[in-house]
């Protein structure tokens, strides 16, 4: 039994020693990508003034959450038109998604930043009304070496649920925007 416990302890110590975290360089690169995305969004928002076409989509839903009442959810997709050189087909690729909704009187706002090349989630941000305290904020940086978390207040959404929500939103986008007719 002692040998078994020692093996478990040594395994845990080894895992902790080899566990990697998101590096400062990765966080800096994600922040630079975020700033680039915000600039692109700003250009997109003023595209029509410059005779250009916009590349965004807003989905607004109204529904009832049992026990909470009426809810309004707004999902805003920002995307680029890309071309697959092999078949020569065009497709839309999301790079930034915002989502806002309410649960009863509480308001929630989320941002999802994606890598334009491989569509992996790079960054998640959530701001929501806290319960009996100030607002809650979560920031998750998804890097090759793990996840870096910055949390103020309560953690309303964990990093795994945020990534699953990002995948669901991407799937919905591809269903709506990249249909083959």
């Amino acid at each position: 039994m002692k040998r078994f416990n020692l093996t478990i302890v040594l395994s845990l110590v080894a895992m902790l020693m080899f566990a990697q975290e998101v590096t400062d360089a990765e966080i800096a690169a994600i922040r630079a990508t975020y700033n680039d995305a915000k600039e692109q969004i700003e250009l997109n928002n003023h595209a029509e003034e410059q005779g250009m076409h916009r590349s965004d989509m807003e989905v607004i839903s109204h529904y009832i959450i049992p026990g909470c009442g009426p809810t309004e959810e707004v999902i805003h997709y920002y995307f680029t038109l890309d071309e697959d050189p092999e078949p020569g087909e065009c497709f839309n690729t999301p790079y930034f998604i915002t989502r806002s909704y309410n649960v009863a009187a509480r308001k929630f706002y989320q941002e999802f930043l994606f890598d334009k090349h491989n569509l992996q989630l790079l960054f998640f941000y959530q701001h929501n009304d806290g319960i009996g305290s100030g607002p809650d904020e979560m920031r998750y940086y998804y890097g090759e070496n793990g996840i870096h978390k910055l949390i103020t207040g309560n953690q309303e959404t964990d990093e795994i649920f945020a990534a699953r929500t990002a995948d669901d939103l991407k799937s919905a986008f591809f269903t709506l925007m990249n249909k083959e007719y």
Side-chain angles (χ1 to χ4, degrees):
M1 186 69 168
K2 286 183 181 181
R3 182 175 285 166
F4 178 73
N5 289 338
L6 181 61
T7 303
I8 290 176
V9 169
L10 289 175
S11 296
L12 288 173
V13 169
M15 285 174 42
L16 290 173
M17 287 176 52
F18 291 110
Q20 297 177 336
E21 293 185 11
V22 177
T23 64
D24 290 342
E26 284 178 308
I27 291 172
I30 291 168
R31 286 180 176 158
T33 302
Y34 180 88
N35 290 334
D36 290 345
K38 285 297 205 170
E39 286 177 16
Q40 184 66 35
I41 289 167
E42 189 62 29
L43 290 172
N44 183 69
N45 290 341
H46 298 288
E48 292 170 338
E49 297 167 9
Q50 299 175 8
M52 305 291 290
H53 295 284
R54 292 179 62 142
S55 293
D56 65 314
M57 172 178 64
E58 190 172 69
V59 179
I60 302 173
S61 303
H62 299 272
Y63 52 92
I64 300 291
I65 297 176
C68 295
T71 297
E72 179 180 87
E73 180 176 11
V74 179
I75 303 170
H76 203 134
Y77 293 92
Y78 297 93
F79 54 91
T80 58
L81 180 63
D82 299 307
E83 184 178 353
D84 188 348
E86 194 132 326
E89 296 177 358
C90 292
F91 59 94
N92 295 295
T93 306
Y95 63 90
F96 198 85
I97 300 171
T98 65
R99 177 178 179 232
S100 60
Y101 61 96
N102 68 289
V103 175
R106 296 181 67 206
K107 295 184 191 261
F108 293 77
Y109 173 78
Q110 299 174 332
E111 294 180 346
F112 303 85
L113 173 69
F114 299 94
D115 185 309
K116 288 183 181 181
H117 304 291
N118 63 18
L119 291 178
Q120 293 298 311
L121 180 63
L122 294 175
F123 177 72
F124 169 79
Y125 169 76
Q126 179 170 310
H127 176 90
N128 58 269
D129 299 336
I131 297 177
S133 63
D136 301 322
E137 286 190 350
M138 289 125 273
R139 287 178 176 81
Y140 303 139
Y141 297 85
Y142 297 84
E144 290 181 22
N145 297 316
I147 300 169
H148 179 73
K149 301 183 239 182
L150 296 171
I151 300 168
T152 304
N154 294 316
Q155 183 180 9
E156 291 279 338
T157 302
D158 68 24
E159 64 278 10
I160 296 168
F161 187 74
R164 284 184 23 217
T165 302
D167 286 341
D168 290 345
L169 291 171
K170 276 192 310 190
S171 293
F173 174 84
F174 286 122
T175 299
L176 291 169
M177 293 300 295
N178 291 320
K179 288 186 177 189
E180 293 183 23
Y181 293 100

